[in-house]
Amino acid sequence: MKETVLKRMKDLPSTHLLGGGTPMCAGCGGLAALHEIYDLLGAKTVFVNAAGCMTLLANYPFTPFRGSWLYTAMASAPAGAQGVRDALDILIEKGRLAPEENLEAVVLTGDGAAYGMGLSSTSGAIERGLDFIYLCYDNEGYGNTGQQFSAATPHAARTATSTGPDGNPGYKKDLFAIWTAHRPAYVATVIASEPLDLARKIRQATELEGPRMLLALAPCPTGWGFDPQLTVDIGKLAVQTGIWPLKEYRDGEVRHTKVPKTRLPVEDYLRPQGRFAHLFEPTRRDDLIDAMQARVDRYWQKLES
Ligand SMILES: Cc1ncc(C[n+]2csc(CCOP(=O)(O)OP(=O)(O)O)c2C)c(N)n1
Ligand code: SF4
Ligand SMILES: [Mg+2]
């Protein structure tokens, strides 16, 4: 049995993440982003995964990855990446690993870990100048355990733990700003529904050394309550309404990489999602919708001034 499995794995293409057979939800926006990113990073990666939905991808010996995978506790993925990086550097220094066989240490984490539990170990790793890529798929909640609110949940969204008439009372933390405050090598926001923007940023990240973050908004049909066939549409609406600004940070400068020419109303993004249904039924909540629109407008107006 084991030999058959190993033979089948050997016959697989070398750098592709295989979507079929994974125990993920149909239409998972996080998986779509990872799929595109892994195609570009290639098999010479060691994923250091903080517990979350993507952990389901590595059920030994069946995994769609061709590279290596290390599973860590939610708060500890950057510490795990430090260990991997140090081990690789020592092996290369001792001549036990050829430099061309070097691997990229890539933290793969959800927002629950990235915006909350793992923030202090992440801050320490950036401060030490760890040479790693930090990939956060942000589905704006603790998805794997039933979409409880996280520090990435938007204001007014309903979650398993924000069930009142106003939804989540808190506001989404600005992880991009938290990272750039550390002056790392590179930070970028991406989304799978904008693959060209995403591909350019992955190339940029791989050409640099040091701490580099890719923050992917991950439309989540299960946790956000929309039809899985709408994942790409929801992703595009996040960009076109200005809710998810596509931008990058390098050398102390932030640059927006795709500015919507005419911003659509945020309502277009909210309406198809069950987590915002209480803003429209039974009574329309103009107070919450208008406040959300005003926050997005203020963000973009600040850039224009
Ligand atoms: C310290 C700790 N608390 C709770 C859990 C249980 N747990 C496993 S996955 C998960 C959700 C993680 O959320 P996020 O990081 O956003 O990833 P997602 O599930 O959304 O992919 C939780 C709470 C855990 N593994 N470790
Ligand atoms: S809960 Fe959301 S993020 Fe998790 S696998 Fe399902 S669609 Fe993907
Ligand atoms: Mg999450």
Side-chain angles (χ1 to χ4, degrees):
M1 156 73 176
K2 193 173 162 202
E3 267 171 26
T4 317
V5 169
L6 290 177
K7 182 174 176 319
R8 269 186 20 217
M9 289 173 77
K10 263 195 212 135
D11 293 340
L12 297 175
S14 63
T15 59
H16 285 65
L17 173 69
L18 303 176
T22 62
M24 316 292 293
C25 311
C28 174
L31 187 60
L34 180 59
H35 208 297
E36 291 173 19
I37 291 168
Y38 191 52
D39 267 357
L40 295 158
L41 287 181
K44 282 191 166 179
T45 47
V46 184
F47 281 105
V48 185
N49 173 237
C53 282
M54 298 301 156
T55 305
L56 300 175
L57 288 171
N59 293 328
Y60 180 82
F62 299 102
T63 164
F65 293 100
R66 300 293 294 160
S68 301
W69 180 277
L70 176 72
Y71 171 60
T72 69
M74 276 186 74
S76 318
Q82 179 82 55
V84 167
R85 185 65 266 149
D86 289 351
L88 288 164
D89 289 346
I90 290 167
L91 288 173
I92 290 171
E93 200 178 302
K94 290 191 166 180
R96 288 170 55 193
L97 183 74
E100 60 273 18
E101 287 178 17
N102 193 10
L103 303 172
E104 182 93 73
V106 181
V107 164
L108 176 62
T109 175
D111 52 285
Y115 286 71
M117 281 192 219
L119 197 47
S120 112
S121 68
T122 306
S123 177
I126 309 172
E127 210 171 294
R128 294 190 300 275
L130 178 62
D131 184 20
F132 76 139
I133 290 179
Y134 186 93
L135 168 56
C136 171
Y137 60 97
D138 180 358
N139 63 359
E140 304 189 319
Y142 286 82
N144 186 243
T145 42
Q147 198 71 2
Q148 295 81 18
F149 89 94
S150 79
T153 303
H155 185 62
R158 279 238 171 100
T159 70
T161 41
S162 330
T163 53
D166 295 347
N168 177 33
Y171 291 85
K172 188 178 177 76
K173 215 183 252 182
D174 188 348
L175 192 63
F176 186 94
I178 292 170
W179 262 75
T180 58
H182 289 74
R183 306 187 71 78
Y186 188 66
V187 188
T189 57
V190 297
I191 191 159
S193 53
E194 298 292 345
L196 294 181
D197 181 77
L198 178 144
R200 197 191 57 72
K201 287 167 173 167
I202 305 303
R203 195 179 63 231
Q204 177 72 101
T206 52
E207 283 168 2
L208 295 166
E209 280 183 13
R212 291 151 285 161
M213 174 167 78
L214 300 162
L215 180 57
L217 185 68
C220 166
T222 311
W224 296 9
F226 63 82
D227 188 320
Q229 68 180 334
L230 294 179
T231 300
V232 172
D233 297 338
I234 300 275
K236 284 191 176 295
L237 282 168
V239 175
Q240 289 162 352
T241 55
I243 289 248
W244 188 248
L246 290 172
K247 55 188 174 179
E248 67 185 350
Y249 163 95
R250 202 187 154 181
D251 297 329
E253 300 287 334
V254 175
R255 194 173 73 87
H256 284 74
T257 56
K258 196 168 172 114
V259 179
K261 280 199 186 78
T262 314
R263 264 183 292 116
L264 296 176
V266 292
E267 191 176 332
D268 292 4
Y269 172 75
L270 305 176
R271 235 180 216 293
Q273 301 184 45
R275 63 180 176 156
F276 295 115
H278 59 290
L279 302 185
F280 301 97
E281 298 284 342
T283 317
R284 193 183 154 88
R285 294 293 304 273
D286 278 324
D287 55 333
L288 293 172
I289 300 168
D290 291 351
M292 220 176 285
Q293 183 68 61
R295 278 193 299 280
V296 172
D297 290 345
R298 261 200 310 279
Y299 176 91
W300 291 98
Q301 277 156 9
K302 245 197 256 165
L303 288 181
E304 286 153 14
S305 58

